Amino acid sequence: MKLSQLFTKTEKLPPAEEVSANAQLLERGGFIYKNNSGIYTFLPLGWRVLQNINQIIREEMDAIGGQEMQMPSLINKRYWEASGRWEVDVMYKLQDANKHEYGLGWTHEEVTAEIAKRYLQSYKDMPFSLYQIQTKFRNEARAKSGILRGREFLMKDLYSFHPDEASLNEFYWQVAEAYHKIFKRCGLEAIITEASGGDFTKEYTHEFQVLSEAGEDEILYCEKCRYSQNASISQMAKGGKCPKCEGKINSGKAIEVGNIFRLGTRFSKAFNLNYTDEQGAEHPVVMGSYGIGPSRLVGTIVEVFHDDKGIIWPASVAPFQVYLISLDGTRVESDKIYKKLLSKKISVLYDDSEERSAGAKFADADLLGIPVRIVVSTKTLKEDSVEIKRRGADGFELVKIKELEGWLTK
Ligand code: ATP
Ligand code: MG
């Protein structure tokens, strides 16, 4: 895409009211637009990043057998009453013209349990899992961390259905493995952290926590084996010994990017979601639920990967792979390189302006954080070359134009 055609523009200064690095940099770069506190638009650049993350999540969810679907956000009061969750603080409630009451979807255990009831009869129908990537609504008391905590945000929510605890546990750890892959593919190390089960279950739940000063949580973790507990429940202490490997325990602020819950039979009992076993006896279905916040992930990546000049996207989620800059009136030659890269299916943001200064172009390249910057100038063309720099690394490389494709694909 040509930068001159992108409807957004970068800004030199962050919006005055934003305090978090993710919101400042994403707004300056034109990745997101703040409509209201905790409510953001993903602009074309931000949407590309979000879609890349969603694609990674989809691939890993599909790989463990997750079936993607899309459920409603307008959820009738009867669902919440069945599970005893109508009086939940975070739910936005509304009424339609016929005075029917609804809660805006902030999670979907109730809806999935009811849908599953139509198709699930026998032990032979399980296990299975279904998921969606959907906008969620939560009446969050404070929304100061940019897109880390939205009132409207994206969630990937997966729900699984099992005949017994053993089947649930097997799948639970498969999901944990898939989550590690997802976060790793996004360039992040997520520490799997034990946390108390809230009102869902007496067993531990697990959170996936990314160490960052921007996080709202505090975790204790072993420096050696990464065993970790959320500080709010933990018996471990900073400086102490790891109960698993005797390594040293450290603590740090962290962002929760995902979590997994063993729900047990709470929701299946609420919706009479039962199955018959081999002997024909009836039992409640055992459920699990597993969340990831893709929009929070965008913010987390920015919190972890930025410097004083801007964002440094990992290539796997970057909105474009190459930022191509034309200098000194080299438009004709740059156009050719642009077209050639596109024909090789390399995504390029092409800074094609003939008016903007080199300094402004370099500053945008740094702010937008695209992994590879390619500069075409009269100087480089004298050597039939372009100058290549990786975002976040020092030093340049001169690469012959005819070797460019090979360099980029290696
Ligand atoms: P938190 O502890 O941060 O309030 P949660 O424990 O309520 O989140 P879940 O209800 O399990 O989280 O939601 C699943 C995932 O959705 C979370 O792990 C997080 O990544 C994301 N998420 C939750 N709330 C928000 C929010 N307000 N804004 C953005 N992402 C969110
Ligand atoms: Mg939590």
Side-chain angles (χ1 to χ4, degrees):
M1 169 163 215
K2 290 184 177 170
L3 193 66
S4 56
Q5 284 165 4
L6 189 68
F7 91 92
T8 57
K9 307 267 178 293
T10 58
E11 277 157 31
K12 280 219 173 72
L13 293 174
E17 72 277 15
E18 293 286 18
V19 289
S20 63
N22 75 85
Q24 290 191 352
L25 291 171
L26 288 167
E27 284 185 57
R28 277 185 58 205
F31 291 89
I32 60 171
Y33 177 89
K34 183 180 188 171
N35 299 86
N36 269 300
S37 172
I39 305 174
Y40 289 87
T41 297
F42 277 80
L43 296 164
L45 287 177
W47 183 241
R48 289 177 74 101
V49 176
L50 194 53
Q51 293 289 67
N52 289 339
I53 290 173
N54 287 345
Q55 186 54 28
I56 290 173
I57 293 174
R58 265 195 190 102
E59 285 171 17
E60 299 301 341
M61 290 297 98
D62 292 351
I64 56 168
Q67 301 177 47
E68 186 173 2
M69 53 193 249
Q70 195 70 204
M71 289 179 271
S73 293
L74 275 177
I75 303 174
N76 195 281
K77 184 179 182 180
R78 72 180 163 81
Y79 284 94
W80 308 106
E81 283 185 329
S83 64
R85 293 208 287 189
W86 178 245
E87 299 302 335
V88 163
D89 290 344
V90 293
M91 188 157 60
Y92 287 103
K93 295 176 184 175
L94 44 94
Q95 245 185 25
D96 69 12
N98 301 314
K99 302 252 186 291
H100 296 139
E101 291 183 276
Y102 298 86
L104 277 184
W106 56 282
T107 185
H108 279 68
E109 285 79 9
E110 288 84 352
V111 179
T112 48
E114 193 198 70
I115 294 171
K117 192 174 157 60
R118 172 169 299 176
Y119 304 102
L120 199 172
Q121 272 115 31
S122 120
Y123 68 96
K124 289 182 195 153
D125 298 325
M126 291 180 283
F128 69 91
S129 62
L130 52 93
Y131 75 99
Q132 60 178 350
I133 298 176
Q134 189 207 38
T135 300
K136 293 280 192 281
F137 300 88
R138 288 190 186 180
N139 198 344
E140 301 276 5
R142 56 205 181 102
K144 276 190 241 151
S145 322
I147 56 171
L148 296 183
R149 185 170 295 285
R151 298 201 161 92
E152 177 174 338
F153 60 96
L154 207 61
M155 193 196 287
K156 183 286 301 173
D157 41 335
L158 169 78
Y159 304 89
S160 69
F161 302 82
H162 308 270
D164 51 37
E165 295 281 336
S167 167
L168 170 64
N169 273 323
E170 191 185 325
F171 187 71
Y172 185 85
W173 294 111
Q174 256 179 289
V175 177
E177 203 51 47
Y179 273 28
H180 277 304
K181 285 187 193 159
I182 289 166
F183 299 125
K184 198 168 171 210
R185 286 179 67 183
C186 292
L188 298 169
E189 187 206 356
I191 298 176
I192 184 163
T193 300
E194 292 177 356
S196 69
D199 53 316
F200 278 132
T201 162
K202 277 178 228 74
E203 276 189 272
Y204 277 132
T205 69
H206 290 89
E207 299 166 342
F208 289 77
Q209 298 276 6
V210 173
L211 289 171
S212 162
E213 278 305 309
E216 292 178 12
D217 287 10
E218 187 171 327
I219 62 165
L220 291 149
Y221 63 96
C222 171
E223 286 180 347
K224 205 165 129 202
C225 76
R226 284 322 205 213
Y227 176 67
S228 170
Q229 292 184 339
N230 195 304
S232 57
I233 54 147
S234 182
Q235 307 293 320
M236 304 196 299
K238 185 178 177 173
K241 268 191 189 162
C242 172
K244 303 278 174 195
C245 79
E246 308 236 305
K248 197 171 142 218
I249 298 296
N250 202 341
S251 73
K253 289 194 139 189
I255 304 169
E256 179 198 311
V257 287
N259 62 23
I260 55 180
F261 288 92
R262 287 172 278 218
L263 298 173
T265 55
R266 172 174 172 187
F267 293 96
S268 47
K269 280 185 178 150
F271 286 86
N272 292 317
L273 175 62
N274 301 321
Y275 73 96
T276 48
D277 67 16
E278 275 177 285
Q279 280 75 43
E282 252 198 15
H283 307 275
V285 168
V286 179
M287 288 174 62
S289 104
Y290 318 84
I292 289 183
S295 52
R296 180 179 285 184
L297 259 180
V298 175
T300 304
I301 292 168
V302 175
E303 292 291 343
V304 174
F305 300 110
H306 72 269
D307 59 17
D308 54 353
K309 298 192 182 96
I311 302 168
I312 308 170
W313 294 112
S316 57
V317 303
F320 293 89
Q321 293 306 312
V322 169
Y323 193 89
L324 176 66
I325 295 179
S326 168
L327 295 183
D328 324 321
T330 57
R331 264 287 284 281
V332 175
E333 294 85 351
S334 301
D335 278 359
K336 275 191 208 147
I337 293 171
Y338 174 58
K339 288 196 183 115
K340 188 171 157 201
L341 294 179
L342 287 190
S343 76
K344 303 294 175 195
K345 302 262 182 283
I346 294 166
S347 65
V348 186
L349 187 57
Y350 175 23
D351 198 340
D352 56 334
S353 158
E354 298 198 295
E355 288 93 51
R356 276 161 23 96
S357 70
K361 291 183 175 188
F362 291 150
D364 273 357
D366 283 341
L367 175 61
L368 296 178
I370 289 159
V372 173
R373 187 187 82 185
I374 298 181
V375 176
V376 185
S377 67
T378 42
K379 203 172 100 199
T380 68
L381 287 178
K382 263 187 211 138
E383 319 249 345
D384 297 317
S385 297
V386 294
E387 178 201 275
I388 298 190
K389 182 181 177 298
R390 285 178 204 271
R391 178 70 179 96
D394 299 324
F396 311 90
E397 230 180 292
L398 267 191
V399 174
K400 295 277 180 220
I401 292 170
K402 61 177 190 306
E403 287 159 15
L404 184 56
E405 187 203 336
W407 192 97
L408 287 169
T409 46
K410 89 173 180 269

